[in-house]
Amino acid sequence: MGSRGAGEQGAGSRGEDFSQLPITNYQLPIMQLQYFLLLAAALFCIGIYGLITSRNAVRVLMSIELLLNAVNLNLMAFSNFLDSTLIKGQVFTVFVITVAAAEAAVGLAIVLAIYRNRDTVDMEQFNLLKW
């Protein structure tokens, strides 16, 4: 692991010399905006489906989180696509993540309070506000 002598070649472990290979200008494929929008649309649709069909309160909260994550993905994609030097979309995404964390904490507290009183997390049994 010392310095190489004059007779040693430093290219590879078997002494190959890669300095004569042609230099190509290969770049990784750029992720296009459509891929992010399709992924966000799929997340949003899964969240809407879970929100509409679920009867469990915890699943409803998870569906809302999926919706917010789809919105965050759209914000990040458009922010990077329109102007990658400014971080307006990233800053707004941080605020949305903060609101989502507060929503999850308050939502779980409400679900736990209702579970203590009613012994169920079924959304159809939540009739506390009915006369």
Side-chain angles (χ1 to χ4, degrees), residues 15 66 68 88 127-128:
L66 276 176
L68 291 174
K88 293 177 184 176
N127 55 5
L128 297 174

Side-chain angles (χ1 to χ4, degrees), residues 16-71:
E16 296 100 354
D17 187 16
F18 293 117
S19 64
Q20 301 301 322
L21 292 176
I23 297 173
T24 59
N25 198 5
Y26 179 74
Q27 294 178 350
L28 293 175
I30 297 173
M31 293 292 291
Q32 296 177 355
L33 181 63
Q34 293 88 357
Y35 299 136
F36 293 107
L37 295 181
L38 284 174
L39 179 63
L43 279 176
F44 197 82
C45 289
I46 292 170
I48 289 290
Y49 177 76
L51 193 65
I52 292 173
T53 61
S54 179
R55 293 174 56 183
N56 191 341
V58 177
R59 252 189 248 149
V60 169
L61 289 175
M62 288 173 47
S63 298
I64 293 172
E65 291 293 324
L66 276 176
L67 293 173
L68 291 174
N69 283 332
V71 170

